[in-house]
Amino acid sequence: MLAITTLNQQLVLTDHPTPEPAAGQLLIKVMAAGVNRADLMQAQGKYPPPAGESLTIGLEVAGVVVALGEGVSDFAVGDAVLGLVGGGAYAEYCLLDQSLCCLKPDTLDFAAAASLPEVWMTAWLNLIDVGQLKAGQRVLIHAGASGVGAAAIQLAKSLGAWVAVTTSSTEKQAFCRDMGADLVIDYRSQDFATTLKAAGGVDLILDTVGGDYVAANQLCLNSDGSIIVIGLLKGLSCEINLGLLLVKRQKIQGSALRSQALAVKARLAMALRDTVLPRLASGEYRITLDRTFALKDAQAAHEYVAASRNCGKVVLLTESIA
């Protein structure tokens, strides 16, 4: 099969053995694969996959089941599905654990389906499981126009939270308002910490940026509030104000979906299946697909995301793989 490989710092299609499903796994003919910041980091050699996972890039997939491993009973060959993988989605074929798989609703095409698993499961994990967000609380979501940001805005609003976001361009600001954000801050011209502190602060911060944003987050975080760091766009290091941490009883926690136990990811996949997909069907939640690229153009897709040109998700399609 053909799969994306990093060669001379470029993403190219090369031949690989087609994987065979082990017990509890499905072999998927990939129709579409979501692009995530984690993929960019892996391509740069900064985010290796967990032990036992495919070395091929790609964490979310939509396609058609072509083979079943031993013990698979909830899916059949020919089913159209979507799901989360530990790696391997940028390929013609990919292995998917049955516990992380959902049947694709007929109302979604494959590109839309592939835009969902990683971002919605990440938003659910960090806002609900880790952040314990409640109705009436105030949340700040950095990079509000990203795939995770767009999902997190919608999820937080459906929980009854007040939502602020940081973003950049006029287009992205409009996008975030359209997703339901109550306050949109242009980080290029506004100091988000000062703006939010004047607006009453926030109780929970979903930080995809890291670096010096952590200290700024502390300034606008209310007492007993939490900062959940899920990205490192501004670097690995930061200064922490221990005085604020103690006096305001602040919490700072790191979180990553990829390294979670299978049981945790399976529970998140169930939330995707039982809550997110029905709300997408009803129109309560919205698909936020920015654009698609052919799989052979994965390098261009990565450059597009690296330049932060997307509002929502970018997806690779395998239709014209050759």
Side-chain angles (χ1 to χ4, degrees), residues 138 140 142 162 164-167 183-202 205 212-222 227 244 248 250:
R138 300 164 65 85
L140 167 61
H142 288 303
W162 180 90
V165 302
T166 59
T167 191
L183 176 62
V184 177
I185 300 170
D186 183 346
Y187 64 79
R188 302 168 305 173
S189 60
Q190 296 172 277
D191 183 288
F192 75 82
T194 301
T195 301
L196 281 167
K197 192 172 181 180
V202 292
I205 299 175
D212 60 9
Y213 265 43
V214 176
N217 288 335
Q218 286 190 272
L219 297 176
C220 58
L221 187 66
N222 293 332
I227 301 167
L244 283 177
K248 300 182 77 173
Q250 295 176 337

Side-chain angles (χ1 to χ4, degrees), residues 296-316:
K296 62 184 176 63
D297 297 323
Q299 181 65 38
H302 276 212
E303 291 169 358
Y304 183 82
V305 173
S308 297
R309 295 175 60 191
N310 55 300
C311 288
K313 284 290 294 186
V314 171
V315 167
L316 301 173

